[in-house]
Amino acid sequence: MTHAMLKGSNVPLDATAVRAVLRWTPGQGVPDVDASALLLGPGGRVRSDEDFVFYNQPRHPSGKVWRLGKKRVTEGLTDTIQTDLTGVESGVGRILLVASADDVTFDHVRDLRILLYDAAVTDGEPLAYFDIRPETGAETALICGELYRRGDGWKFRALGEGYSNGLVGLATDFGISVDESEAAAAAGSAPEATAWAAPATAPETSVPLPPEQSAPVTQQPAPVPQQPAYGYPQPAAAAVTEPAYGYPQPAQQGGQSAYGYPQPQTAPATQPAYGFPQAVGAGPDPDFRLPPQGPQFIGR
């Protein structure tokens, strides 16, 4: 006999192992739903993070609670948690059966229902079912129901309690420590972050200028030759040659380049001063004598 349950009602379980099946109707705008379970100790909290069974940790270390995964059926999509009730550790008093959505509120999920089956019976009728209706519509995680000990046996209670901060908020409330990477995975935000992330900015690159534009060639003005002062020759200076067709010429002592070719070097000629030839040598000749003088006239 199948029990149609109302919120807060409970039903005893005679089965030694049960399958809790979450079922909903897919469609446009309907988020994906994930089933998970939290094994709670006597204080109503998990004993360690290993007591959290979900898609990134699909099997409890005891091997008595595990996630079967999603399946498409005639009525819609399902995700299932199976529990071996007779093998659950004595320190576990309650097992929460949870539904979470990918950062989308449950008012977008249609026909959400939890069904409880005897795992030992193939294709059997459900033992009980509960249609879950969010209270506010802003919930992103729901405690659909719980398996709990009563004496030597187990019972199932329909709950439908919601959390607006998703699976991370729900799990943290029962003692699960969630780091940033687990939070992103538990919230189902990793695919969304990938889809909506801003494209990476391409690094800026500098384009080199062509060689002819890298440094402009500047030509120096032709030097002004020095003029003699008062007829005296000036000290000889190295002549500055002009560039021919943009190429510098080798320095020369006098002489200009003709058509871009350097001229033979020549010694600068000295100019006479005041029209008299200059003496050659370092000083006067020591053997120089004045010519003999004629008779002197004595004045009267």
Side-chain angles (χ1 to χ4, degrees), residues 1-6 10-13 23 113-118 123-131 156:
M1 177 180 177
T2 301
H3 294 273
M5 303 185 68
L6 300 175
N10 63 77
V11 60
L13 299 174
R23 192 182 73 194
R113 172 180 286 189
I114 185 168
L115 304 101
L116 213 62
Y117 291 86
D118 185 343
D123 298 329
E125 292 295 320
L127 302 174
Y129 71 87
F130 170 47
D131 290 327
F156 172 74

Side-chain angles (χ1 to χ4, degrees), residues 98-205:
V98 176
S100 59
D102 294 341
D103 286 342
V104 181
T105 55
F106 268 95
D107 58 353
H108 292 82
V109 180
R110 298 183 296 174
D111 307 321
L112 183 63
R113 172 180 286 189
I114 185 168
L115 304 101
L116 213 62
Y117 291 86
D118 185 343
V121 179
T122 303
D123 298 329
E125 292 295 320
L127 302 174
Y129 71 87
F130 170 47
D131 290 327
I132 307 163
R133 293 178 178 86
E135 293 182 353
T136 66
E139 297 90 343
T140 53
L142 289 168
I143 302 176
C144 302
E146 65 175 354
L147 303 168
Y148 64 99
R149 293 184 187 271
R150 180 62 66 191
D152 295 334
W154 288 82
K155 285 188 171 184
F156 172 74
R157 179 182 288 120
L159 291 177
E161 298 175 357
Y163 282 75
S164 61
N165 51 355
L167 185 60
V168 174
L170 187 153
T172 303
D173 202 28
F174 287 94
I176 297 293
S177 55
V178 183
D179 61 21
E180 292 182 2
S181 59
E182 290 173 340
S189 58
E192 304 297 330
T194 303
W196 290 100
T201 304
E204 296 183 359
T205 56

Side-chain angles (χ1 to χ4, degrees), residues 234-241 249-257 262-269:
Q234 301 302 311
V240 180
T241 59
Q249 302 302 311
Q252 303 175 38
Q253 297 294 332
Q256 300 294 327
S257 58
Q263 300 302 309
Q265 298 180 357
T266 57

Side-chain angles (χ1 to χ4, degrees), residues 192-297:
E192 304 297 330
T194 303
W196 290 100
T201 304
E204 296 183 359
T205 56
S206 58
V207 180
L209 292 174
E212 63 273 9
Q213 299 181 8
S214 58
V217 178
T218 58
Q219 294 186 357
Q220 300 297 328
V224 179
Q226 296 180 347
Q227 299 296 327
Y230 301 104
Y232 291 95
Q234 301 302 311
V240 180
T241 59
E242 295 293 330
Y245 301 103
Y247 297 94
Q249 302 302 311
Q252 303 175 38
Q253 297 294 332
Q256 300 294 327
S257 58
Y259 302 102
Y261 296 94
Q263 300 302 309
Q265 298 180 357
T266 57
T270 58
Q271 299 296 327
Y274 299 100
F276 293 94
Q278 303 299 309
V280 180
D285 188 358
D287 296 330
F288 175 76
R289 297 291 187 269
L290 291 173
Q293 301 295 323
Q296 302 295 318
F297 294 91

